[in-house]
């Protein structure tokens, strides 16, 4: 099973992806985590990404796509993966589709988690305080939500037009949202 989780920052993609990883036994691939690991390691890419992420902006498509290609070709991704944080715009969605076609791992389904703006700001403020994340400062949060509205939301139509979209309510207990996701993906794979 190859899934994309869509939703605004703070919508619960990462939390649900971790539960899905355990349930489906496929890796959870978060572009945010890949980039933060590069920042923590102080790699040239990490240093470059650090300034961009701290301002609430997005790292270049070429860098992220290259990192994803390397990750998709690792042995644990052969039976699928859960992608979290990418694609963020239509150009990325098309590039991802081309990459997955080339490596013969086509996307099965995109799951969109819908959460209202006020709850997103509340969630992200709590996460910023708990984790000390510069990319979740109030100004950065506002910028990221604006970028999401302008660039990422149209990706939903990309997957809808392919017949590969499940649009779900992302509000509720972790288990309630997880159950909605499992019910949505069940027709697309044997998810136990």
């Amino acid at each position: 099973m190859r899934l994309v989780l869509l939703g605004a920052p703070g919508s619960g993609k990462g939390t649900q992806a971790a539960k899905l990883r355990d349930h489906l036994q496929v890796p959870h691939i978060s572009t945010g985590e890949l980039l933060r690991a590069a920042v923590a390691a102080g790699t040239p890419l990490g240093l470059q990404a650090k300034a961009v992420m701290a301002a609430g902006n997005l790292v270049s498509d070429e860098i992220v796509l290259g990192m994803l290609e390397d990750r998709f070709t690792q042995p644990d991704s052969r039976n699928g993966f859960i992608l979290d944080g990418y694609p963020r715009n239509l150009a990325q969605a098309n590039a991802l589709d081309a990459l997955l076609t080339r490596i013969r791992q086509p996307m099965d389904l995109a799951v969109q988690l819908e959460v209202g703006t006020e709850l997103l700001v509340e969630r992200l403020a709590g996460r910023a305080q708990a984790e000390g994340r510069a990319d979740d400062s109030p100004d950065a949060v506002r910028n990221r939500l604006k970028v999401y509205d302008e660039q990422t939301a149209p990706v939903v139509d990309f997957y809808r037009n392919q017949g590969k979209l499940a649009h779900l309510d992302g509000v509720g207990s972790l288990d309630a949202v997880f159950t909605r996701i499992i019910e949505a993906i069940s027709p697309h794979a044997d998810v136990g």
Side-chain angles (χ1 to χ4, degrees):
M1 174 113 268
R2 290 172 295 278
L3 298 173
V4 170
L5 293 184
L6 302 172
S11 63
K13 297 182 306 288
T15 302
Q16 292 299 330
K19 287 180 69 79
L20 284 166
R21 174 196 63 220
D22 295 340
H23 187 79
L24 299 173
Q25 296 296 297
V26 296
H28 164 210
I29 302 171
S30 164
T31 55
E33 288 178 15
L34 289 174
L35 289 168
R36 282 189 286 277
V39 169
T43 66
L45 168 63
L47 296 175
Q48 196 176 25
K50 182 178 181 178
V52 174
M53 289 174 15
N57 294 319
L58 303 176
V59 175
S60 78
D61 292 351
E62 295 80 10
I63 292 170
V64 174
L65 195 64
M67 291 171 49
L68 287 171
E69 181 170 5
D70 288 344
R71 183 64 183 92
F72 292 155
T73 58
Q74 292 178 14
D76 68 338
S77 296
R78 284 194 185 122
N79 293 324
F81 52 82
I82 301 151
L83 187 56
D84 163 18
Y86 190 93
R88 293 181 185 265
N89 59 49
L90 290 175
Q92 290 176 352
N94 282 308
L96 177 63
D97 248 18
L99 167 63
L100 293 175
T101 297
R102 184 167 47 82
I103 64 173
R104 296 184 177 145
Q105 293 189 32
M107 188 60 56
D108 292 307
L109 191 67
V111 176
Q112 180 193 22
L113 298 177
E114 186 67 39
V115 178
T117 301
E118 291 308 311
L119 183 54
L120 291 171
V121 172
E122 182 182 318
R123 286 180 179 182
L124 291 170
R127 184 169 81 182
Q129 188 174 23
E131 299 177 10
R133 287 176 52 166
D135 62 332
D136 285 337
S137 69
D139 287 341
V141 168
R142 280 190 279 283
N143 187 52
R144 288 168 64 206
L145 292 175
K146 180 182 177 205
V147 167
Y148 177 79
D149 287 340
E150 292 172 356
Q151 296 180 9
T152 309
V155 173
V156 171
D157 288 332
F158 176 84
Y159 288 109
R160 181 180 291 118
N161 291 339
Q162 291 185 356
K164 294 183 176 181
L165 178 71
H167 179 94
L168 305 173
D169 182 0
V171 179
S173 72
L174 291 177
D175 289 340
V177 175
F178 183 71
T179 297
R180 286 182 209 128
I181 295 171
I182 293 302
E183 289 172 354
I185 67 176
S186 290
H188 301 273
D190 179 18
V191 295

